[in-house]
Amino acid sequence: MTEPFSVPVTVRGYETDVQGHLNQSVYLNYAEHARWSLLRAAGITQAGLIDRGVGPVAVETTIRYRRELLAGDEVEVTCEFAWGEGKTFRIEQTIRKADGTVAAEITAVGGLMNLKERRLVADPRKRFKELASDPSLFGL
């Protein structure tokens, strides 16, 4: 099995709260950054998605906070797609400190929306495979 796609992030001071740790909402930003980085690495751009009349949407997101992150911490944010048979898919993500400590686990359920019909496409796996120049990053 190959390692999941990941991006490095440094926790910035302005992202921290009054207790000095990373604000809870910023974990979502880090996860979103990793997802869009994976899309770009696979050859999919926002403009390309719009041109094809589709866009990724979040249906549900769960975050499990494991350890605090502080300003200056260096982390890796992973991103792995898990495909089922329906209109949605899962994205499993981990935010891990440089020493290997898991700071957060994020599980998202997403879909690919037809922007004209405002409905999820029937087979997002097939569409991502068609859209990507490197579908292997999606596990396809």
Side-chain angles (χ1 to χ4, degrees):
M1 184 172 149
T2 62
E3 291 295 314
F5 180 87
S6 69
V7 294
V9 176
T10 301
V11 176
R12 295 162 289 249
Y14 62 83
E15 296 172 325
T16 59
D17 59 21
V18 72
Q19 290 92 308
H21 59 252
L22 187 65
N23 181 279
Q24 53 88 25
S25 66
V26 180
Y27 288 82
L28 287 174
N29 291 336
Y30 289 3
E32 185 77 359
H33 172 65
R35 290 193 292 266
W36 278 105
S37 295
L38 186 152
L39 289 172
R40 280 192 311 278
I44 298 173
T45 64
Q46 287 176 309
L49 289 167
I50 291 169
D51 288 346
R52 298 243 174 105
V54 295
V57 294
V59 177
E60 175 183 310
T61 304
T62 302
I63 304 173
R64 288 187 178 90
Y65 303 99
R66 300 294 189 193
R67 295 288 184 272
E68 68 181 355
L69 291 174
L70 305 172
D73 282 348
E74 302 282 339
V75 299
E76 287 288 325
V77 184
T78 66
C79 188
E80 287 185 282
F81 279 65
W83 303 95
E85 298 301 318
K87 294 180 180 182
T88 61
F89 49 86
R90 279 191 350 270
I91 304 170
E92 301 290 340
Q93 297 183 266
T94 302
I95 299 176
R96 190 180 316 274
K97 294 180 176 190
D99 69 3
T101 302
V102 173
E105 297 166 324
I106 301 153
T107 302
V109 176
L112 192 61
M113 181 182 281
N114 178 309
L115 299 177
K116 183 177 179 183
E117 296 174 7
R118 310 307 288 179
R119 296 191 183 280
L120 296 179
V121 299
D123 189 350
R125 178 194 314 202
K126 178 182 174 192
R127 292 299 294 272
F128 273 107
K129 198 170 187 177
E130 294 167 354
L131 292 164
S133 59
D134 185 0
S136 69
L137 291 174
F138 295 104
L140 301 173

